[in-house]
Amino acid sequence: MLEEFGRPLEVQEVDLAEPKAGEVLVRLVACGVCHTDLYTASGADPSGYAPTVLGHEGAGVVETVGDGVTSLAVGDHVVTLFSPQCRECIHCLSDRTNLCLAIREQQNKGYLPDGSTRLSRSGEPIRHFMGTSTFAEYTVIPEIALAKVNREAPLDRACLFACGLSTGLGAAINTAAVQAGSTCVVFGAGMVGLGAVAGCRLQGAERIVCVDLSQQRLELARGQGATDCWPADEHTVERVLEATGGFGADYTFEATGLVAVMRQAVEAARMGWGLCTVAGVAGKGETLDVIPRLLITGRRVCGSSFGGVKGRDQVPELVELYLRGEIDVDPFISHRMPLEQVNRAFELMEAQDGIRSVLQLSA
């Protein structure tokens, strides 16, 4: 429970109401601890609120379904979706975006679609986080915010597809649509960056350069398909240009959230057709400074939310890639711990110790 910004989370019992129409009760088995959770807990997120139950990178088993739920049944294994897919709104019907509009307004306020919450304490409502609230043993989530996945997938691995891993994979596969034989540069080797490296490999990129400050993370990038691993410094752009005949990379990906690195990613993109995909989330009030000449000479910049992944349709497909051995998920899990150690997971994240801590919530 996030009681107050800037203070440690508190593990406590709260009341959870039964699901209403179009909602599902999920017994959570595992949940990754993502930087977005820490960002909100710190108070840096201008749209944050408290009290709330944080967590959004979850996976579990359906326990109960509300009236009108047709796509899920008791016993189904599911991955939570902070980016839902109603399959009916103008955005869901378009292949140009994954930003479903169906419940966006209420979700951003911390409410379920009917404008209320299922969480409470002593009769006082507690708001949901990103429509999911997965730092818990049980949660109630809209049907359209759950992806049914293969029961063969271990849920402590499947949970990573709820946010970071899918975001990186999708940035390369969906947003950038990397072409075979191309040269890619990925800035940042956290979860999103490593997912982008894997996505570039799956798309058939010929050269994949990963740039990061950590040698340990760069080794993980090599395991995901990076052909070149470079320590990050102020000369990275020049090094990319030198390695590409002075032109730049066909595709660049920014996965750090640092605006200075975003600028490097733009500058490292190829003259004529280079595409820079920004997947990192910058700090409050920060802006990206881009020289217009870089755009006039053919470079493009785009953003990527959840990797352009339409969750209910595509997360199960990504999980199948893992089950077929095309994505190696195990190296991403650095620490496993019970819910009671969630603040320890935040400390490890701030120390950049590992890639993902996974909370083990139930058997």
Side-chain angles (χ1 to χ4, degrees), residues 332-348:
F332 298 137
I333 303 176
S334 311
H335 308 278
R336 289 181 171 85
M337 58 192 66
L339 178 61
E340 289 75 15
Q341 294 183 21
V342 62
N343 292 304
R344 174 60 179 157
F346 281 161
E347 292 171 358
L348 292 167

Side-chain angles (χ1 to χ4, degrees), residues 25-30 59-64 77-78 136-139 155 361-363:
L25 173 67
V26 177
R27 174 176 59 83
L28 293 159
V29 174
V61 181
V62 172
E63 291 279 304
T64 309
H77 287 202
V78 291
E137 294 174 329
Y138 292 87
T139 189
L155 290 171
L361 303 169
S362 66

Side-chain angles (χ1 to χ4, degrees), residues 161 166 169 173 309 314-322 327:
F161 290 91
S166 291
L169 287 165
I173 297 171
V309 171
Q314 294 182 309
V315 164
E317 295 173 356
L318 296 176
V319 171
E320 290 299 325
L321 289 177
Y322 156 63
I327 304 171

